[in-house]
Amino acid sequence: MKRFLFAGVCLLISLTGCSFHKAAEDKAEIVVWHWMSDRQSAFQELAKKYEAETGIRVRFEVFPHGVYSQKINAAAAAKDLPELFGILGDKKLFSSFIKAGLVDDLTFYMNENNHRWKNSFIDISLAFNTFDKGNSYGVPPGIYAVPIDTMGIQFLYNKSLLAKIGVSPDSPPSNWEDFIKDAKLAVDKLGVSGFVCGWGENWLIYCLATDYAFNIMGQDKFFATLRGEVPYTDHDWIKVFSLFEEMRDSGILAPGIITMNNKEAEQIFASGRSLFSFNGSWGVNTYKQMNPSLRYSVMPPPQAGRDYPVKIWAGAGSSFVVSRLSSRHYEAIRFLKWLTEKDQQVFLVEKTRNLPSVKGCDSKVSVSMKQFLKNSKYFTHPNLWPLNEDSRVVEAINIGIEKIIIGEKTPQETAVDVDKVKQLRMERK
Amino acid sequence: MNYPSGREQFKSFSFVLPAFAIFAFFYIMPFFYTFWLALHRGSEISSLGFVGLSNFRDILFHDKEWWASVGRSFYISFWALTFQNFLAFILALAVDKAVRTGKIYRVVFFLLPVLSEIIIGLLVRNLLVPYPGVFNHFLHQIGLSSLAHDWLNNPDFALRTLAFTHCWRGFGWGFIILLAGLQTIPQELYEASRVDGANAFQRFTKITVPLLMPVIFLVIILTILGTVQVIGLPMALTRGGPAGKTTVSVLKILNDLNNSHAGYASAEGLVLGFILICVSFSLLKISKKFKP
């Protein structure tokens, strides 16, 4: 019996020993979970600097992009979140974390010292993480996350290729007809693709489709569709879907675009095998690494409709939230304040070539990166919309557009399919 | 009959307890949690809403995409059961006879299953993407230009490419198991049959196949279970595209999870599990009829 007791005590010590050890370790450090593997080394360097300055250890833990959301969801369910973490998903998911009481409201800290911290951010990046009064998510108004960089998704064009087809590199196409014409010329004259994009990552299809939905039907009608007041079979939506059919029929799409991931698309554009691309500011890093001599520029998506402006997805690239469950959230907030100071932001810009989230770093931002923040009055993003489309409808739009591209469905048929899904979701609600 | 005393019973159970605790924590609890989740709508944070069995109703009677994805999984299983296992069987028979070089072949054929699905997927993708189009270029070079296609983006070929890649990667498993089965057949039986005048075909049909039947059924069950649960390969090869043509059932579950439909995804997982259990038990029942 004594032996059993001894074995039991040993087992107990070994099990609890782990948690004692963890608690002792936790006291001295802030843990940050994220998915940005390309920025891990820069984060680690900053962590070392912070430890040297304050004595507080910061441990950045990176997880693969594909499993990050599951990791965070599981940790949230188990109430085992680190002090700081990023939320990879739409605003609905973000709001569910807030409503579950897992995320700290940072408004008070933002407004301290006459709004000093709040005023340091580029407006669009902070708007991303702000819930206004009466928001459709049912979240109390406030600022719930701290942006660490900014992004914009626009059209890019290869200046050298554009010159070769006889178009001035300083005046890229501003309307849809010219865009198709120039892209076609590139295919016919130069034997390169007219347009490339990582449409294997479906969200880029939705991004482009919504840019043009704003352009063709205007903001009010677009949001009315999301509310279920305008059907997807409306002629304006068919016009949006028809743009993809036109791209297919004109033969400008890069071969294999439909299963291409964004990195592959970036490589094709960087190697000068496509005249146009639709990509985010994060691509600058790939272009620089792959082909430092690539001459390219950024332009807003060419206008397809005449009555409304084309919108551009932009906003906070990545943000960190502070766990309300952590006993060290004040330390975590202090670290975030430090991370978003100009020196650290400049360091991140130089190391990762992402746009900063705070003002005053312009001198360190390259010309090509700055261009992504042009046309800021047309910036938009699902996180800034008053409501978001149901994810099943978004999926139906993406799959429908893919079907148009592979020639399986017409824009009209896709519109009917999407509308059926929308009706079903409305009934369920 | 002497029953053990309470103290001895406690002692006996205490030996089982750690294993039971691990089993309960990692298998039983997640199963019940999955079932509980399947009765809800939304994700697992704050937006869970109880919907009873409506997720199951939607899956069983309304969700055509789900059944299409299950169909794709079984389409790949069909190719794995026929082409992949036939290849594995032929190679196992050949290697069983090759006494001197057998070990080398075992290593060579087992190399592919050891590599991760993602690595195989990326490797094959790099060979098949339209640019630079290594595989199609090779076909042109050997005068088979008519066979060159867009293997990953053409909806007529994408699923077949996925199925073929899966078979190519997976035949090593079947090969090793069948080879092990072949080597358990006593050589005396073959020698006796030779003395009795049986030819090679008769030895194969009357000795090898009947004695190997339990192993063949094991391979069939493992093939179906392994193939229906394939996910890494379609993710790396086509990401479920073009237009969802290679979205197999487990990939659909993952997509639903990522779209904050954890409840629905759990219900899909349970339905898929139920299908696999039914298939496995049916095969086990059939296999009993073939017992030598």
Side-chain angles (χ1 to χ4, degrees), chain A residues 35-67:
Chain A
W35 65 91
M36 297 157 265
S37 52
D38 60 327
R39 284 172 240 185
Q40 176 67 355
S41 59
F43 284 150
Q44 281 172 334
E45 276 187 61
L46 285 174
K48 270 184 205 164
K49 192 179 165 196
Y50 189 69
E51 190 177 0
E53 284 179 21
T54 63
I56 296 172
R57 201 175 148 210
V58 181
R59 183 154 50 94
F60 280 93
E61 290 185 3
V62 62
F63 299 95
H65 188 274
V67 299

Side-chain angles (χ1 to χ4, degrees), chain A residues 181-394:
Chain A
K181 193 185 80 190
D182 292 348
K184 223 167 148 6
L185 272 174
V187 176
D188 297 340
K189 272 189 173 178
L190 310 174
V192 297
S193 302
F195 176 84
V196 72
C197 186
W199 280 347
E201 296 174 29
N202 285 348
W203 70 271
L204 277 165
I205 297 180
Y206 186 64
C207 176
L208 190 61
T210 52
D211 280 359
Y212 281 106
F214 278 109
N215 176 221
I216 288 170
M217 66 191 73
Q219 183 169 298
D220 294 342
K221 194 169 177 179
F222 175 74
F223 290 135
T225 313
L226 303 195
R227 286 194 297 271
E229 293 160 13
V230 173
Y232 277 99
T233 46
D234 184 272
H235 62 97
D236 278 343
W237 274 103
I238 292 173
K239 267 189 206 167
V240 173
F241 298 140
S242 299
L243 298 177
F244 292 88
E245 187 184 43
E246 203 180 334
M247 281 202 261
R248 180 202 71 196
D249 291 344
S250 57
I252 63 167
L253 298 175
I257 194 169
I258 211 74
T259 63
M260 193 181 284
N261 63 48
N262 202 34
K263 203 48 89 186
E264 289 171 334
E266 284 171 359
Q267 286 167 355
I268 287 177
F269 184 75
S271 57
R273 298 203 310 271
S274 179
L275 175 58
F276 295 107
S277 179
F278 181 64
N279 197 18
S281 46
W282 57 81
V284 172
N285 208 8
T286 311
Y287 303 143
K288 181 94 178 168
Q289 281 170 2
M290 272 201 69
N291 186 2
S293 60
L294 179 73
R295 288 180 62 234
Y296 68 97
S297 192
V298 177
M299 65 183 209
Q303 291 267 345
R306 301 192 191 288
D307 301 330
Y308 304 97
V310 70
K311 293 272 185 174
I312 301 158
W313 279 26
S318 321
S319 302
F320 285 133
V321 299
V322 180
S323 168
R324 267 184 77 181
L325 307 174
S326 168
S327 57
R328 289 182 299 286
H329 52 184
Y330 296 113
E331 287 88 339
I333 291 166
R334 259 203 299 271
F335 172 69
L336 281 181
K337 279 189 174 178
W338 179 85
L339 188 66
T340 50
E341 279 172 10
K342 198 179 152 191
D343 287 351
Q344 282 65 253
Q345 284 284 302
V346 166
F347 175 82
L348 281 173
V349 168
E350 286 172 345
K351 284 276 175 184
T352 68
R353 293 193 186 88
N354 281 290
L355 290 162
S357 61
V358 298
K359 297 166 191 163
C361 306
D362 286 9
S363 60
K364 300 289 173 186
V365 178
S366 68
V367 178
S368 51
M369 280 163 72
K370 272 183 198 161
Q371 288 172 330
F372 278 95
L373 290 181
K374 280 196 307 193
N375 312 302
S376 59
K377 63 179 169 178
Y378 302 123
F379 283 173
T380 187
H381 193 276
N383 283 8
L384 305 173
W385 300 346
L387 76 165
N388 282 164
E389 187 52 282
D390 185 283
S391 59
R392 291 205 189 281
V393 181
V394 173

